[in-house]
Amino acid sequence: MRVQPPPGFTPPDKVRVYARNGHYLLQWWDPGAGRTLNERVDGDLLDAFTRARQLDGNLASLGRGGGVHATQITHTELVTRYLQALEHRADSDNLALSTVKRYRGALGHYLAYTDQHAVTGKARYAGRVDAAFVARFRAYLRSIPSLAGPDYVLSVVRAMYLWAAEPSHGGLLPAAFVNPLLGQVTRRSRRQRPSLLEAPAVTAEMAAELIRVSDDYQLRLLAPVVFFGLRPSELCLLTREDIQGGFLNVYCVAELDHATKGNLDKRLPLPQSLQQLLLSDKTPGVRGGLLMQRRPVAGGRKTSRFAGLDKVGLIDAYRCLLSKEKVVTAKTRDTLRKAVIRDAGGVSYKQVYTEFGRLRKKVGWPDTVTLKDLRHLFATFTHDAGMPERYRRFLMGHAPGGEAIVDYTHLAKVREHYDLAVQREFAGVLEALQQRLNAPLYNAA
């Protein structure tokens, strides 16, 4: 029997409410599902009409109600829709494309589990996963030897289910869905963390050795990473004009749709020997506006169409390519920006890692040592030298904090603090660099 709403309650336009034996039944035509759908409500009349109004709003704004039909969405379809939503956010500059790539990789493990392990029964559908499913999935992740962060994967899957449960995202999961991942990934990983009392994986003595044994190309490419803990991506868009007044400026470039991690600019005080190295025209492979060029090859390399362009020229080239695209997405912008850097002879993120790998093998370091360990070294030596935390955060590109005192405190002594830290903890590395610059072999290059 169809029932009327309580007094003073506006009836829904598209959802009908029927009374049954001890419960209520909601019924509506759902364009998203392409059929008439039903949903049971165990509660009183007010509960039934409250839920009916919610479904009615979804139908008016989204074209689908959500509800019990959402239990039929497959794991593959859920991942596809979630990644599409993330890509749309990246297209509107609300999310970094690199974050979408990391999420895609994490969800690849989720799909591998649901596909290869023949998830059957009610867990075949995303809207019906339960605690037992999560327990098996967690065990699967921990069985992958190469997976360093199983809890990160779980946190991404948890975020996906939170997104899917939101009615504003299409009602992909039933209204009564309880996310079994809530509370599952907030605890710390059981993986034992290394002791902070131990020396970092790369010490100052090892960094000095790296400087001494690198070839001229590797020296120029990796010395800024050693002295400042730069991220590899931060090397790719540096130009000669970024060296001004004895500082190396690592800036976001909005005109190139390029942002550093955290959208923070850095101004790094250059030791005189490092500035001499970076501006030296004697370094092989330096032939243009970009500071870090690709390694030269035997017989020379075909002249790049954007070779020698300064930052303004690179921006013009990028905008010209962008104007020819009919549809511009975050992926399009990323691809075109990389193409401009490549055609200007610049080095890529992957090539920085390749050069470090060659050098690591040359000095006999274990494969577990990575470029990020040089960033750990930078954080450690500046701390041990007594540099104030605000200055360390600024030089590393970390968020300064949200306290009011942050806005009142100006960092007027960056060079003084950095030079003092180098003298106290990095003097051997600086000496190794100066010896390389004084060597006849390098000067004859």
Side-chain angles (χ1 to χ4, degrees), residues 14-34:
K14 302 178 182 297
V15 182
R16 298 179 296 277
V17 181
Y18 297 94
R20 291 293 186 264
N21 295 328
H23 66 273
Y24 292 93
L25 184 69
L26 311 184
Q27 188 177 83
W28 71 96
W29 169 258
D30 196 301

Side-chain angles (χ1 to χ4, degrees), residues 24-232:
Y24 292 93
L25 184 69
L26 311 184
Q27 188 177 83
W28 71 96
W29 169 258
D30 196 301
R35 58 192 175 92
T36 299
L37 299 175
N38 303 283
E39 181 174 325
R40 172 172 171 158
V41 175
D42 292 310
D44 57 22
L45 184 63
L46 184 60
D47 292 330
F49 274 94
T50 299
R51 175 56 181 158
R53 288 285 301 275
Q54 182 183 20
L55 292 171
D56 205 54
N58 289 346
L59 289 167
S61 60
L62 304 172
R64 62 184 304 172
V68 293
H69 74 283
T71 62
Q72 305 302 314
I73 187 171
T74 65
H75 299 285
T76 300
E77 184 181 359
L78 176 60
V79 169
T80 299
R81 292 198 182 193
Y82 184 51
L83 289 175
Q84 287 175 345
L86 293 179
E87 289 173 352
H88 291 156
R89 288 183 60 193
D91 294 342
S92 60
D93 290 330
N94 288 327
L95 190 69
L97 187 61
S98 57
T99 301
V100 180
K101 292 178 180 178
R102 289 196 298 271
Y103 275 38
R104 188 184 302 277
L107 292 173
H109 294 291
Y110 174 79
L111 290 178
Y113 173 73
T114 57
D115 292 344
Q116 299 173 11
H117 288 255
V119 177
T120 57
K122 66 178 183 179
R124 287 180 299 171
Y125 301 108
R128 295 181 177 180
V129 298
D130 53 17
F133 171 89
V134 175
R136 292 192 298 270
F137 181 48
R138 181 187 289 276
Y140 164 77
L141 293 176
R142 296 196 179 280
S143 70
I144 305 175
S146 60
L147 185 60
D151 287 342
Y152 173 73
V153 175
L154 283 169
S155 67
V156 172
V157 175
R158 173 178 178 268
M160 176 177 68
Y161 273 94
L162 287 172
W163 171 86
E166 279 290 326
S168 61
H169 298 147
L172 300 179
L173 298 176
F177 176 77
V178 178
N179 190 344
L181 283 154
L182 289 176
Q184 291 286 328
V185 293
T186 55
R187 63 177 179 79
R188 287 186 177 273
S189 170
R190 292 179 182 174
R191 185 183 300 273
Q192 185 174 355
R193 301 183 65 176
S195 172
L196 294 179
L197 297 178
E198 298 178 357
V202 178
T203 63
E205 292 74 17
M206 294 170 67
E209 180 187 17
L210 199 74
I211 294 291
R212 285 191 292 267
V213 304
S214 59
D215 64 31
D216 290 346
Y217 176 78
Q218 291 167 338
L219 176 64
R220 192 169 184 280
L221 181 67
L222 297 176
V225 183
V226 172
F227 278 90
F228 298 117
L230 288 179
R231 300 178 179 93

Side-chain angles (χ1 to χ4, degrees), residues 97 330-340 342:
L97 187 61
K331 188 174 182 179
T332 303
R333 295 194 294 265
D334 182 64
T335 300
L336 292 181
R337 182 174 55 252
K338 289 178 179 177
V340 169
R342 182 186 65 247

